[in-house]
Amino acid sequence: MTPHIIQCDFSNKKDFVYFVYSRNKITWCNDNGRGVLQNGGFVIFDCNKPFKYEFHIETDVVCFLLPKSFLCVGKNVFVNNNGSINNTRYDDVLIELILGLFNYDNQVKVKLFAITSLLAIALYENDVVNLVTKNEYEFKKMTNLIRINIGNSELCLNFIASEFHMSKSKAQKVFYKNGTSFRVVLKQSRVDALAIKLLSEGNKTINKICFDCGFKTVANANIQFKKIYHMSLSEYRRVQRIKKITS
């Protein structure tokens, strides 16, 4: 029997989770690894990275997208998921609910709530997930946004707050509740980016790399870098190059 191989890239839906359910054997792989469910079950993919799965009987497979924030197992506690779930006692109910979802169904909200609740319980019971609070979830998204925009020398808390449709003070509280501040995370992210680019972009000058990481002057970049790595930018690049040659 010819297998069905499905390759997916939902990079435009990074805040979503892709679920695949199969009644029979299904294999899968993504950046985090690969796996197989011999007797079927659920496979959960984070849409941040491309993934692939393979199965044989088309009528046995159901797939669907859900916003990450829908997967909660209590008030303001979200599932930070990745992995697979073997057959559970909820499978038949879940599939019946999923196949019964229609836009014109006046009970669609009730069914969706039931689906996400059962999935969250199954994930929790299978011990394939980490649980994060809403605050931790927002903090992770904010730090990721900082890294993406690290080259913007004018990056500020107002920008972060506006991207998450919240006030500056509320955004500030997200950082404080995670034991840090926007300024600390920004400085650390800039220095981390410097360390990576000094090695990965060896054809670029130190000046250019500093500006690419959002520093306005090389002098300031050196000061911030020394506080963490205890050496200048040029010293760090030289030491790491020697280590690479001798290793």
Side-chain angles (χ1 to χ4, degrees):
M1 188 181 295
T2 305
H4 296 276
I5 301 173
I6 309 297
Q7 299 192 55
C8 300
D9 185 351
F10 288 102
S11 53
N12 62 329
K13 297 185 181 295
K14 292 183 178 180
D15 289 330
F16 281 74
V17 179
Y18 186 87
F19 280 86
V20 182
Y21 173 79
S22 177
R23 290 188 175 90
N24 286 291
K25 179 181 176 181
I26 180 171
T27 58
W28 57 272
C29 64
N30 61 6
D31 275 6
N32 295 315
R34 58 184 63 246
V36 57
L37 292 175
Q38 293 290 350
N39 301 309
F42 282 96
V43 184
I44 311 104
F45 297 103
D46 191 316
C47 291
N48 278 297
K49 298 288 178 64
F51 55 87
K52 181 172 68 174
Y53 58 97
E54 180 181 316
F55 56 92
H56 287 84
I57 305 173
E58 192 170 3
T59 54
D60 279 353
V61 174
V62 175
C63 51
F64 56 101
L65 280 166
L66 278 179
K68 288 182 180 180
S69 58
F70 276 32
L71 292 174
C72 58
V73 288
K75 187 178 180 181
N76 293 332
V77 180
F78 296 91
V79 172
N80 185 23
N81 45 292
N82 242 329
S84 58
I85 313 173
N86 292 313
N87 285 313
T88 73
R89 52 185 164 170
Y90 313 115
D91 287 1
D92 291 340
V93 177
L94 277 165
I95 296 308
E96 187 176 337
L97 286 167
I98 291 164
L99 293 177
L101 277 177
F102 295 99
N103 289 332
Y104 56 80
D105 189 341
N106 60 6
Q107 291 188 324
V108 66
K109 289 184 178 179
V110 175
K111 289 180 179 179
L112 188 57
F113 178 77
I115 289 167
T116 53
S117 296
L118 286 173
L119 282 171
I121 293 168
L123 286 163
Y124 184 67
E125 288 184 351
N126 276 259
D127 196 29
V128 295
V129 300
N130 295 316
L131 301 180
V132 296
T133 65
K134 182 178 180 180
N135 191 269
E136 291 170 328
Y137 180 73
E138 290 175 336
F139 176 69
K140 184 177 179 181
K141 290 175 69 175
M142 286 181 178
T143 53
N144 187 53
L145 185 62
I146 289 171
R147 293 189 190 103
I148 292 171
N149 292 277
I150 203 67
N152 178 6
S153 61
E154 303 299 328
L155 187 60
C156 62
L157 186 57
N158 280 330
F159 169 77
I160 301 297
S162 65
E163 287 294 300
F164 287 91
H165 309 291
M166 61 176 67
S167 66
K168 182 180 177 180
S169 61
K170 187 175 179 181
Q172 229 166 11
K173 286 180 182 178
V174 172
F175 288 96
Y176 289 158
K177 286 181 179 179
N178 282 274
T180 186
S181 68
F182 168 74
R183 287 180 178 275
V184 170
V185 173
L186 179 60
K187 286 180 180 179
Q188 182 67 56
S189 298
R190 290 203 197 284
V191 171
D192 289 344
L194 270 177
I196 293 169
K197 288 178 178 290
L198 284 169
L199 301 181
S200 63
E201 300 180 5
N203 59 321
K204 287 187 178 180
T205 65
I206 288 176
N207 286 34
K208 179 68 169 67
I209 290 173
C210 288
F211 297 135
D212 287 348
C213 294
F215 287 98
K216 293 182 178 180
T217 66
V218 178
N220 184 41
N222 254 315
I223 291 169
Q224 299 303 327
F225 195 83
K226 276 186 177 181
K227 287 179 181 178
I228 296 174
Y229 286 92
H230 309 294
M231 62 179 79
S232 69
L233 296 168
S234 56
E235 286 172 331
Y236 179 81
R237 177 179 261 184
R238 185 173 65 253
V239 168
Q240 294 302 318
R241 280 176 173 172
I242 292 171
K243 283 184 178 179
K244 190 174 181 179
I245 294 169
T246 56
S247 61

